[in-house]
Amino acid sequence: MAEECTHDCSSCGVEGCGDREKPDFRVYLNEHSKVKKVIGVISGKGGVGKSMVTSLLAVQAAKKGLKTAVLDADITGPSIPKAFGLAGIPSLKDDKYMIPIKSKEGIDTMSVNYLLQNQTDPVVWRGPVIAGAVKQFWTDVVWEDEDIMFVDMPPGTGDVTLTVFQSLPVDGVVIVTSPQELVGMIVEKAAKMAGMMNIPVLGIVENFSYIKCPDCGKLIRPFGESHIKKLALSYGIPNTAELPIDAALASACDAGEIESAAGDYLKEFFELITK
């Protein structure tokens, strides 16, 4: 059969042929853009603080002097503008490409909230339209000489996550979780999806892990003992981090002051996943 192969896979009906081309879903940056490293931030379920972790990692990158970007791929639940206290309509380059909205510390951001008449307007789009918007945030935005980009993805393993994994050059992902035992199954789903797409899991961040007593400094774990190291060992994930329940950090995020309140949260973890 190989001797009769025309190498034209579009007209070939033979299954299992080693010459069969795999479909290429990648999309490419415009001529004004360059991004050196892309890290996706994912979670198997909502409400675990994925956008906060994305923001904290971006802040750590900027503190290191890296040109940093955040692509808000959570189209129906965008949180990045709120965390950084940003609003406005992106300006255009060449009447074609959008210019990212910069944070106070110079982090480039793009989110669907910048394109809505009101930030509280719901995005009532079907999956293919949402996926198309995410791809446009990669191709139609001027990401100029970015050292690192964090992609804040919606929860779960649906259309957008698949689109990002197939279309963008993702170097690795960080999984965000919480301490409950049930979450182990959710982490496994996210890790397995990344594995199916041949994308390495760089680490797991466990949010709401503990409360630090303001008087004695003792760590109190309201959801029970952490399972993060056991999870990481089970799935061969090299790096872990724990985030506390911190009212000050949550308030800063709600007030759009994440850059001033981030402190050293995830500093060591960032060093590990980017070394």
Side-chain angles (χ1 to χ4, degrees):
M1 185 66 66
E3 295 177 358
E4 301 173 4
C5 181
T6 64
H7 304 288
D8 180 7
C9 294
S10 62
S11 62
C12 176
V14 178
E15 295 297 331
C17 174
D19 234 10
R20 181 173 292 277
E21 297 175 0
K22 293 181 179 179
D24 186 359
F25 296 106
R26 289 173 297 176
V27 293
Y28 298 91
L29 294 168
N30 59 70
E31 65 269 26
H32 305 292
S33 299
K34 182 180 180 182
V35 180
K36 295 178 183 176
K37 182 186 286 288
V38 178
I39 295 178
V41 182
I42 65 175
S43 62
K45 64 185 294 295
V48 296
K50 173 182 48 58
S51 295
M52 179 181 285
V53 169
T54 302
S55 302
L56 290 174
L57 289 172
V59 170
Q60 290 299 331
K63 284 182 176 180
K64 289 282 292 182
L66 300 176
K67 185 77 165 35
T68 306
V70 178
L71 191 162
D72 190 353
D74 194 350
I75 301 297
T76 59
S79 302
I80 295 302
K82 178 73 172 176
F84 286 92
L86 301 174
I89 301 173
S91 57
L92 295 179
K93 184 180 182 67
D94 298 339
D95 294 323
K96 183 178 180 181
Y97 302 116
M98 291 181 287
I99 306 295
I101 302 291
K102 284 188 180 291
S103 73
K104 295 173 184 176
E105 301 301 324
I107 297 172
D108 290 330
T109 70
M110 182 52 63
S111 173
V112 75
N113 257 19
Y114 300 143
L115 309 178
L116 301 177
Q117 186 171 358
N118 300 298
Q119 289 196 357
T120 55
D121 288 346
V123 177
V124 188
W125 298 344
R126 293 193 182 275
V129 179
I130 294 173
V134 171
K135 288 191 280 189
Q136 282 188 289
F137 282 171
W138 176 257
T139 61
D140 295 355
V141 174
V142 179
W143 301 111
E144 188 174 8
D145 295 323
E146 308 289 359
D147 292 310
I148 190 166
M149 172 186 283
F150 295 96
V151 182
D152 185 22
M153 298 196 215
T157 54
D159 282 351
V160 172
T161 306
L162 183 60
T163 294
V164 171
F165 283 176
Q166 290 184 323
S167 302
L168 274 59
V170 180
D171 295 286
V173 296
V174 170
I175 299 175
V176 183
T177 184
S178 57
Q180 294 92 330
E181 185 76 40
L182 172 66
V183 174
M185 179 184 68
I186 306 299
V187 170
E188 184 173 359
K189 288 179 181 290
K192 282 184 175 180
M193 181 178 188
M196 289 169 62
M197 306 302 295
N198 295 315
I199 295 174
V201 179
L202 303 174
I204 307 178
V205 176
E206 184 179 78
N207 199 14
F208 314 124
S209 187
Y210 60 89
I211 300 171
K212 188 173 184 179
C213 176
D215 297 322
C216 67
K218 180 181 178 181
L219 300 187
I220 303 166
R221 298 188 181 272
F223 297 108
E225 287 303 310
S226 172
H227 303 287
I228 189 171
K229 294 190 184 302
K230 180 179 177 182
L231 283 171
L233 183 64
S234 298
Y235 307 129
I237 299 171
N239 305 301
T240 63
E242 298 178 11
L243 277 177
I245 299 172
D246 187 334
L249 183 59
S251 296
C253 199
D254 289 341
E257 298 291 339
I258 190 68
E259 288 171 295
S260 60
D264 288 334
Y265 286 116
L266 299 184
K267 179 180 179 181
E268 183 179 349
F269 181 78
F270 172 78
E271 299 281 355
L272 291 170
I273 67 171
T274 56
K275 67 179 181 180

